[in-house]
């Protein structure tokens, strides 16, 4: 088999302890960048590889290798990787919008076997939510923060006083007999040709009402690509808690993944050789 090497194409100075690395696996692209852990800024322009049409674990792992090689990431740099599904101890437990063969795949182990790197693997919305609390729209907010990402599906992150409760999966709440994301995700707005007003008042309003009733957050943060158009739909949603757009937009996953990997590296004792 021919091994393709991509070579380091972006030079980065990996100052120990202050630079981490994040990769965000999405339905259309796999994006990575080094992250300055002190302020959450990207330390270089992000690099994007299109998600393979057949998004199997092997195909995606090759993309992860390409991203890591592009930045010549050293093995001691903490690496965080997001996945759009439930992740428990590095293992993928659900895959609503990527290939079904991901289910039960140990992504952390796959990355190690393919690239030689140890990585912390987290749900994509959890990473984005953690980033918004640490460096973005929910910075300094005490109490319960609920971050919802509106995209192909709906992702959720629940953070209480800075601590993340992982894998809440509120996109799949059953509301009025439907899996909520099949009614309220922004992909549904596109697919059904709904106006912002119709989407906000007929789909998102009901969704936010149910989530607010169940969790009574102190703040809602709304992310996902569509949040760049927030002024067209957020003011139409009525909630008790304030509702604000995400500040880190499409970089939140990368930043949060790097921050969570750094936190894990600091919490755990160094692995014995
Ligand atoms: C998945 C979640 C994910 C969300 C956003 C949902 O379909 O179940 O795990 O966070 O999409 O990608």
């Amino acid at each position: 088999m021919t091994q393709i090497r991509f070579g380091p194409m972006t030079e980065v100075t990996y100052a120990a302890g202050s630079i981490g690395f994040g990769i965000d696996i999405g339905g259309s692209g796999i994006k990575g960048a080094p992250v300055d852990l002190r302020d959450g800024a990207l330390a270089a322009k992000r690099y994007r590889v299109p998600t393979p049409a057949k998004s199997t674990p092997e195909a995606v792992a090759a993309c992860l290798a390409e991203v890591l090689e592009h930045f010549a990431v050293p093995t001691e740099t903490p690496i965080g990787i997001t996945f759009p599904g439930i992740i428990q101890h590095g293992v993928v437990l659900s895959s609503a919008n990527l290939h079904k063969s991901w289910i039960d795949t140990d992504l952390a182990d796959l990355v190690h076997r393919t690239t030689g790197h140890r990585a912390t693997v987290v749900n994509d919305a959890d990473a984005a939510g953690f980033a918004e609390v640490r460096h973005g729209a929910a910075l300094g907010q005490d109490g319960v923060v609920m971050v919802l990402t509106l995209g192909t599906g709906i992702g959720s992150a629940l953070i209480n006083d800075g601590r993340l409760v992982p894998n809440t999966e509120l996109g799949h709440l059953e509301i009025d007999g439907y899996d909520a994301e099949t009614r309220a995700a922004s992909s549904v707005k596109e697919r059904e040709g709904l106006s912002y007003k119709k989407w906000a008042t007929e789909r998102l309003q009901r969704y936010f009402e149910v989530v607010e009733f169940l969790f009574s957050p102190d703040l809602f943060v709304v992310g996902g690509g569509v949040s760049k158009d927030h002024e067209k739909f957020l003011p139409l949603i009525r909630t008790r808690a304030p509702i604000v757009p995400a500040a880190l937009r499409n970089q939140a996953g990368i930043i949060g993944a790097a921050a969570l990997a750094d936190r894990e590296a600091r919490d755990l004792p160094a692995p014995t050789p």
Side-chain angles (χ1 to χ4, degrees):
M1 199 172 85
T2 327
Q3 235 202 336
I4 305 164
R5 298 202 65 80
F6 304 96
M9 287 149 86
T10 299
E11 294 283 346
V12 179
T13 309
Y14 289 93
S18 57
I19 301 288
F21 198 88
I23 305 184
D24 194 14
I25 302 177
S28 58
I30 296 167
K31 298 136 286 188
V35 177
D36 189 325
L37 298 164
R38 294 161 299 189
D39 59 4
L42 298 196
K45 191 172 172 294
R46 69 178 197 161
Y47 179 67
R48 179 182 188 277
V49 182
T51 306
K54 195 166 176 218
S55 54
T56 58
E58 295 67 33
V60 170
C63 301
L64 297 174
E66 180 177 340
V67 173
L68 291 168
E69 289 205 24
H70 178 87
F71 290 100
V73 182
T75 39
E76 59 279 11
T77 298
I79 298 172
I81 300 179
T82 77
F83 185 87
I86 301 171
I87 301 290
Q88 200 167 30
H89 310 302
V91 179
V92 175
L93 298 184
S94 74
S95 176
N97 300 307
L98 284 188
H99 202 268
K100 296 294 170 220
S101 61
W102 272 103
I103 294 172
D104 291 333
T105 298
D106 188 330
L107 175 52
D109 182 60
L110 177 67
V111 170
H112 187 228
R113 279 187 286 114
T114 316
T115 69
H117 288 276
R118 296 274 176 208
T120 298
V121 181
V122 292
N123 170 264
D124 56 356
D126 282 344
F130 192 71
E132 291 295 340
V133 168
R134 189 164 276 203
H135 301 292
L139 184 67
Q141 173 71 52
D142 293 330
V144 178
V145 176
M146 175 67 72
V147 181
L148 295 166
T149 62
L150 307 174
T152 311
I154 296 181
S156 60
L158 180 65
I159 296 117
N160 184 29
D161 288 335
R163 289 204 69 95
L164 172 73
V165 181
N167 295 309
T168 43
E169 288 294 326
L170 301 180
H172 299 290
L173 279 173
E174 188 182 316
I175 301 179
D176 304 329
Y178 294 95
D179 181 354
E181 72 173 23
T182 67
R183 299 278 294 164
S186 64
S187 60
V188 178
K189 172 187 178 300
E190 297 311 312
R191 198 168 58 238
E192 297 186 17
L194 304 175
S195 64
Y196 274 107
K197 187 170 176 212
K198 223 171 160 53
W199 180 51
T201 56
E202 294 180 15
R203 305 292 175 90
L204 291 177
Q205 180 62 37
R206 176 81 179 121
Y207 182 68
F208 276 82
E209 259 165 38
V210 173
V211 173
E212 181 153 58
F213 174 72
L214 293 173
F215 293 94
S216 298
D218 295 295
L219 177 70
F220 277 113
V221 178
V222 177
V226 74
S227 66
K228 68 178 186 320
D229 291 332
H230 58 90
E231 69 294 335
K232 297 186 181 147
F233 66 96
L234 280 194
L236 302 173
I237 303 172
R238 302 272 163 251
T239 48
R240 279 196 315 275
I243 180 166
V244 296
L248 304 170
R249 304 283 155 77
N250 54 7
Q251 299 179 351
I254 294 176
I255 297 166
L260 283 162
D262 177 56
R263 194 189 61 166
E264 187 171 282
R266 287 173 203 275
D267 275 353
L268 298 175
T272 40

